[in-house]
Amino acid sequence: HYMEYTVWKNEEAYRNSPVPVVYLHSFRGNGEDVWKEYHGLKGCPPMVLVSINNPGTGLDDELSPWPAEEVWKGQEPYKGLAAEHLRWMMEECVPQVETQFGIRDILPVIAGYSLAGLFALWAAWSSGYFRRVASVSGSLWYPGFTDYIRDNAPKAGLREGTSLGKAYFSLGDRESRTRHPLMSRVDACTAEVVERVRSYGIETTFEWNPGNHFDHPELRMARALAWLLR
């Protein structure tokens, strides 16, 4: 399980308490574009951004919560290795980041775009570690995912008083305009998930962005983080 991550940080983050540490599976690149877009927005608090990527093969298998059939012609089926990947995050990545930067009092946040947006919510829901989550243009059409959220409560916080408190969702207003039977359900699936997340008393917002799935992913992510951290 070989992964790389890049850390972006503001020095003043360490003088604030608690420090938001955002774990982001980058849509492309190493997080720099999201970092720049975020700092171009007004009034954004300092944070530490941990951008995770797999330099070899991409992350479709690691971000899928259980096996599923391929969606596109010529694609491999999803292997469903999210539990293994989350274990790597919790046992290796998170402790390394916290130790390396001497961060004691942290606000752990997880965010992702597309399939990583699905993983972010699944990881926040199933781990009890992350306090805030952003699923931006999340692949919430993934087979069985709405059932999973409906049938499972979010795991209680690992430390007292640390349960999931804020959730951000957004979609492009043209994302569901596709002939693909699964993808075309993304609006309905997202609405169902948002309602369910809200029902647990989690502060939740849902935003529409102009455009399709691939329009301005870094800016969309920056806006998500700004809402979560303000």
Side-chain angles (χ1 to χ4, degrees), residues 120-155:
L121 183 58
W122 175 85
W125 212 250
S126 62
S127 70
Y129 175 71
F130 300 98
R131 307 277 300 282
R132 298 180 185 181
V133 61
S135 180
V136 181
S137 291
S139 304
L140 305 185
W141 48 260
Y142 194 83
F145 192 73
T146 49
D147 298 343
Y148 171 79
I149 293 292
R150 188 182 62 236
D151 298 341
N152 294 277
K155 192 171 171 185

Short mmCIF file of all heavy atoms in Angstrom, two decimals, residues 120-155:
data_model
loop_
_atom_site.label_atom_id
_atom_site.label_comp_id
_atom_site.label_asym_id
_atom_site.label_seq_id
_atom_site.Cartn_x
_atom_site.Cartn_y
_atom_site.Cartn_z
N ALA A 120 -14.55 10.30 1.32
CA ALA A 120 -14.48 11.22 2.47
C ALA A 120 -15.68 11.01 3.39
O ALA A 120 -15.52 10.90 4.62
CB ALA A 120 -14.42 12.66 1.98
N LEU A 121 -16.86 10.94 2.81
CA LEU A 121 -18.05 10.76 3.64
C LEU A 121 -18.07 9.38 4.28
O LEU A 121 -18.36 9.22 5.46
CB LEU A 121 -19.33 10.98 2.82
CG LEU A 121 -20.62 10.89 3.63
CD1 LEU A 121 -20.65 11.89 4.77
CD2 LEU A 121 -21.84 11.07 2.73
N TRP A 122 -17.71 8.36 3.50
CA TRP A 122 -17.66 7.00 4.05
C TRP A 122 -16.66 6.94 5.22
O TRP A 122 -16.96 6.35 6.26
CB TRP A 122 -17.26 6.01 2.94
CG TRP A 122 -17.07 4.62 3.46
CD1 TRP A 122 -18.04 3.67 3.65
CD2 TRP A 122 -15.84 4.04 3.91
NE1 TRP A 122 -17.48 2.54 4.19
CE2 TRP A 122 -16.13 2.74 4.37
CE3 TRP A 122 -14.52 4.50 3.98
CZ2 TRP A 122 -15.16 1.89 4.88
CZ3 TRP A 122 -13.55 3.65 4.49
CH2 TRP A 122 -13.86 2.36 4.92
N ALA A 123 -15.49 7.56 5.05
CA ALA A 123 -14.45 7.52 6.09
C ALA A 123 -14.89 8.29 7.34
O ALA A 123 -14.67 7.84 8.47
CB ALA A 123 -13.14 8.09 5.55
N ALA A 124 -15.51 9.44 7.13
CA ALA A 124 -16.00 10.22 8.28
C ALA A 124 -17.09 9.44 9.01
O ALA A 124 -17.16 9.43 10.24
CB ALA A 124 -16.54 11.57 7.79
N TRP A 125 -17.94 8.78 8.25
CA TRP A 125 -19.08 8.04 8.80
C TRP A 125 -18.63 6.81 9.59
O TRP A 125 -19.19 6.46 10.61
CB TRP A 125 -19.99 7.61 7.66
CG TRP A 125 -21.45 7.53 7.97
CD1 TRP A 125 -22.21 6.41 8.08
CD2 TRP A 125 -22.34 8.64 8.18
NE1 TRP A 125 -23.52 6.73 8.34
CE2 TRP A 125 -23.63 8.11 8.40
CE3 TRP A 125 -22.18 10.02 8.20
CZ2 TRP A 125 -24.74 8.91 8.65
CZ3 TRP A 125 -23.28 10.82 8.43
CH2 TRP A 125 -24.54 10.27 8.66
N SER A 126 -17.58 6.15 9.07
CA SER A 126 -17.24 4.83 9.62
C SER A 126 -16.07 4.87 10.61
O SER A 126 -15.82 3.88 11.28
CB SER A 126 -16.91 3.86 8.48
OG SER A 126 -15.80 4.32 7.75
N SER A 127 -15.33 6.00 10.69
CA SER A 127 -14.12 5.98 11.51
C SER A 127 -14.28 6.62 12.89
O SER A 127 -13.56 6.27 13.82
CB SER A 127 -12.98 6.72 10.79
OG SER A 127 -13.26 8.12 10.76
N GLY A 128 -15.18 7.58 13.02
CA GLY A 128 -15.30 8.29 14.30
C GLY A 128 -14.14 9.23 14.56
O GLY A 128 -13.99 9.74 15.66
N TYR A 129 -13.30 9.50 13.56
CA TYR A 129 -12.13 10.36 13.77
C TYR A 129 -12.35 11.78 13.25
O TYR A 129 -12.02 12.75 13.92
CB TYR A 129 -10.90 9.74 13.09
CG TYR A 129 -9.67 10.64 13.17
CD1 TYR A 129 -9.01 10.83 14.39
CD2 TYR A 129 -9.19 11.31 12.05
CE1 TYR A 129 -7.91 11.68 14.48
CE2 TYR A 129 -8.09 12.15 12.13
CZ TYR A 129 -7.46 12.33 13.35
OH TYR A 129 -6.38 13.18 13.43
N PHE A 130 -12.88 11.90 12.06
CA PHE A 130 -12.97 13.21 11.42
C PHE A 130 -14.16 14.00 11.97
O PHE A 130 -15.24 13.47 12.15
CB PHE A 130 -13.07 13.06 9.90
CG PHE A 130 -11.89 12.34 9.33
CD1 PHE A 130 -11.94 10.99 9.04
CD2 PHE A 130 -10.69 13.01 9.13
CE1 PHE A 130 -10.84 10.31 8.55
CE2 PHE A 130 -9.58 12.35 8.62
CZ PHE A 130 -9.65 10.99 8.34
N ARG A 131 -13.91 15.29 12.20
CA ARG A 131 -14.95 16.14 12.80
C ARG A 131 -15.76 16.88 11.74
O ARG A 131 -16.87 17.33 12.01
CB ARG A 131 -14.28 17.18 13.71
CG ARG A 131 -13.33 16.59 14.74
CD ARG A 131 -14.07 16.10 15.96
NE ARG A 131 -14.78 17.20 16.59
CZ ARG A 131 -14.21 18.13 17.35
NH1 ARG A 131 -12.93 18.10 17.59
NH2 ARG A 131 -14.94 19.08 17.88
N ARG A 132 -15.18 17.06 10.57
CA ARG A 132 -15.87 17.77 9.48
C ARG A 132 -15.55 17.07 8.16
O ARG A 132 -14.49 16.49 8.03
CB ARG A 132 -15.42 19.24 9.44
CG ARG A 132 -15.79 19.97 10.72
CD ARG A 132 -15.39 21.42 10.75
NE ARG A 132 -15.69 21.96 12.07
CZ ARG A 132 -15.48 23.21 12.44
NH1 ARG A 132 -14.94 24.07 11.57
NH2 ARG A 132 -15.79 23.63 13.65
N VAL A 133 -16.49 17.19 7.22
CA VAL A 133 -16.30 16.45 5.95
C VAL A 133 -16.84 17.28 4.79
O VAL A 133 -17.85 17.98 4.93
CB VAL A 133 -17.00 15.07 6.01
CG1 VAL A 133 -18.50 15.18 6.23
CG2 VAL A 133 -16.71 14.25 4.74
N ALA A 134 -16.15 17.21 3.65
CA ALA A 134 -16.64 17.81 2.41
C ALA A 134 -16.66 16.76 1.31
O ALA A 134 -15.65 16.11 1.05
CB ALA A 134 -15.75 18.98 1.98
N SER A 135 -17.83 16.60 0.69
CA SER A 135 -17.99 15.72 -0.46
C SER A 135 -18.38 16.61 -1.64
O SER A 135 -19.53 17.04 -1.77
CB SER A 135 -19.07 14.68 -0.19
OG SER A 135 -19.24 13.83 -1.31
N VAL A 136 -17.40 16.93 -2.48
CA VAL A 136 -17.59 17.89 -3.57
C VAL A 136 -17.76 17.11 -4.87
O VAL A 136 -16.88 16.33 -5.24
CB VAL A 136 -16.39 18.86 -3.64
CG1 VAL A 136 -16.59 19.88 -4.75
CG2 VAL A 136 -16.19 19.57 -2.30
N SER A 137 -18.90 17.31 -5.52
CA SER A 137 -19.24 16.50 -6.71
C SER A 137 -18.99 15.02 -6.42
O SER A 137 -18.44 14.28 -7.23
CB SER A 137 -18.43 16.95 -7.93
OG SER A 137 -18.86 18.22 -8.35
N GLY A 138 -19.38 14.60 -5.22
CA GLY A 138 -19.11 13.24 -4.75
C GLY A 138 -19.85 12.19 -5.56
O GLY A 138 -20.98 12.41 -6.01
N SER A 139 -19.21 11.04 -5.74
CA SER A 139 -19.82 9.94 -6.51
C SER A 139 -20.82 9.18 -5.64
O SER A 139 -20.69 7.97 -5.41
CB SER A 139 -18.72 8.99 -7.00
OG SER A 139 -17.76 9.70 -7.75
N LEU A 140 -21.83 9.91 -5.17
CA LEU A 140 -22.78 9.31 -4.22
C LEU A 140 -23.78 8.39 -4.92
O LEU A 140 -24.62 7.78 -4.28
CB LEU A 140 -23.49 10.40 -3.42
CG LEU A 140 -22.55 11.38 -2.69
CD1 LEU A 140 -23.34 12.36 -1.83
CD2 LEU A 140 -21.51 10.66 -1.84
N TRP A 141 -23.62 8.27 -6.26
CA TRP A 141 -24.38 7.28 -7.04
C TRP A 141 -23.80 5.89 -6.87
O TRP A 141 -24.38 4.90 -7.36
CB TRP A 141 -24.33 7.65 -8.54
CG TRP A 141 -22.95 7.97 -9.02
CD1 TRP A 141 -22.43 9.21 -9.21
CD2 TRP A 141 -21.90 7.04 -9.34
NE1 TRP A 141 -21.12 9.12 -9.64
CE2 TRP A 141 -20.77 7.80 -9.72
CE3 TRP A 141 -21.80 5.65 -9.34
CZ2 TRP A 141 -19.55 7.20 -10.10
CZ3 TRP A 141 -20.59 5.06 -9.72
CH2 TRP A 141 -19.49 5.84 -10.08
N TYR A 142 -22.65 5.76 -6.21
CA TYR A 142 -21.95 4.48 -6.11
C TYR A 142 -22.91 3.39 -5.60
O TYR A 142 -23.64 3.61 -4.63
CB TYR A 142 -20.76 4.62 -5.15
CG TYR A 142 -19.78 3.48 -5.23
CD1 TYR A 142 -18.79 3.46 -6.20
CD2 TYR A 142 -19.82 2.42 -4.32
CE1 TYR A 142 -17.88 2.41 -6.28
CE2 TYR A 142 -18.92 1.37 -4.39
CZ TYR A 142 -17.95 1.37 -5.38
OH TYR A 142 -17.06 0.33 -5.45
N PRO A 143 -22.93 2.23 -6.25
CA PRO A 143 -23.91 1.19 -5.89
C PRO A 143 -23.90 0.86 -4.40
O PRO A 143 -22.85 0.57 -3.83
CB PRO A 143 -23.46 -0.02 -6.73
CG PRO A 143 -22.74 0.56 -7.90
CD PRO A 143 -22.07 1.81 -7.39
N GLY A 144 -25.06 0.96 -3.78
CA GLY A 144 -25.21 0.59 -2.36
C GLY A 144 -24.90 1.70 -1.38
O GLY A 144 -25.09 1.53 -0.18
N PHE A 145 -24.46 2.88 -1.86
CA PHE A 145 -24.02 3.90 -0.89
C PHE A 145 -25.17 4.57 -0.16
O PHE A 145 -25.09 4.79 1.05
CB PHE A 145 -23.13 4.95 -1.57
CG PHE A 145 -22.44 5.82 -0.56
CD1 PHE A 145 -21.39 5.31 0.21
CD2 PHE A 145 -22.86 7.12 -0.31
CE1 PHE A 145 -20.76 6.09 1.18
CE2 PHE A 145 -22.23 7.91 0.66
CZ PHE A 145 -21.18 7.38 1.39
N THR A 146 -26.25 4.89 -0.87
CA THR A 146 -27.38 5.51 -0.15
C THR A 146 -27.93 4.54 0.89
O THR A 146 -28.32 4.95 1.98
CB THR A 146 -28.49 5.96 -1.13
OG1 THR A 146 -28.79 4.89 -2.01
CG2 THR A 146 -28.06 7.18 -1.93
N ASP A 147 -27.95 3.25 0.57
CA ASP A 147 -28.39 2.25 1.55
C ASP A 147 -27.48 2.24 2.77
O ASP A 147 -27.94 2.15 3.91
CB ASP A 147 -28.37 0.83 0.94
CG ASP A 147 -29.32 0.69 -0.24
OD1 ASP A 147 -30.21 1.55 -0.38
OD2 ASP A 147 -29.16 -0.26 -1.02
N TYR A 148 -26.18 2.33 2.51
CA TYR A 148 -25.20 2.31 3.61
C TYR A 148 -25.44 3.48 4.58
O TYR A 148 -25.47 3.31 5.80
CB TYR A 148 -23.77 2.37 3.05
CG TYR A 148 -22.73 2.59 4.12
CD1 TYR A 148 -22.29 1.54 4.92
CD2 TYR A 148 -22.20 3.86 4.35
CE1 TYR A 148 -21.36 1.74 5.93
CE2 TYR A 148 -21.26 4.07 5.35
CZ TYR A 148 -20.85 3.01 6.14
OH TYR A 148 -19.93 3.23 7.14
N ILE A 149 -25.64 4.68 4.02
CA ILE A 149 -25.85 5.86 4.88
C ILE A 149 -27.19 5.75 5.61
O ILE A 149 -27.32 6.12 6.77
CB ILE A 149 -25.77 7.16 4.04
CG1 ILE A 149 -24.34 7.38 3.51
CG2 ILE A 149 -26.22 8.37 4.85
CD1 ILE A 149 -23.30 7.69 4.57
N ARG A 150 -28.19 5.21 4.90
CA ARG A 150 -29.51 5.07 5.53
C ARG A 150 -29.48 4.05 6.67
O ARG A 150 -30.12 4.25 7.71
CB ARG A 150 -30.53 4.63 4.47
CG ARG A 150 -31.97 4.63 4.97
CD ARG A 150 -32.94 4.14 3.91
NE ARG A 150 -32.66 2.76 3.54
CZ ARG A 150 -32.42 2.37 2.29
NH1 ARG A 150 -32.42 3.24 1.30
NH2 ARG A 150 -32.18 1.09 2.01
N ASP A 151 -28.73 2.97 6.48
CA ASP A 151 -28.79 1.85 7.44
C ASP A 151 -27.76 1.93 8.56
O ASP A 151 -27.79 1.11 9.47
CB ASP A 151 -28.60 0.51 6.68
CG ASP A 151 -29.71 0.27 5.66
OD1 ASP A 151 -30.77 0.92 5.78
OD2 ASP A 151 -29.51 -0.55 4.75
N ASN A 152 -26.81 2.86 8.47
CA ASN A 152 -25.75 2.95 9.49
C ASN A 152 -25.68 4.36 10.06
O ASN A 152 -25.66 5.32 9.31
CB ASN A 152 -24.39 2.61 8.87
CG ASN A 152 -24.32 1.16 8.43
OD1 ASN A 152 -24.05 0.27 9.23
ND2 ASN A 152 -24.58 0.92 7.15
N ALA A 153 -25.62 4.44 11.39
CA ALA A 153 -25.42 5.75 12.04
C ALA A 153 -23.93 6.08 11.96
O ALA A 153 -23.09 5.18 11.89
CB ALA A 153 -25.87 5.69 13.49
N PRO A 154 -23.58 7.39 11.99
CA PRO A 154 -22.15 7.72 12.02
C PRO A 154 -21.53 7.20 13.32
O PRO A 154 -22.16 7.24 14.38
CB PRO A 154 -22.14 9.25 11.98
CG PRO A 154 -23.51 9.68 12.36
CD PRO A 154 -24.44 8.57 12.01
N LYS A 155 -20.33 6.69 13.21
CA LYS A 155 -19.66 6.12 14.38
C LYS A 155 -19.39 7.22 15.41
O LYS A 155 -19.05 8.35 15.05
CB LYS A 155 -18.33 5.50 13.95
CG LYS A 155 -17.70 4.65 15.03
CD LYS A 155 -16.51 3.88 14.49
CE LYS A 155 -15.76 3.21 15.62
NZ LYS A 155 -14.54 2.56 15.16
#
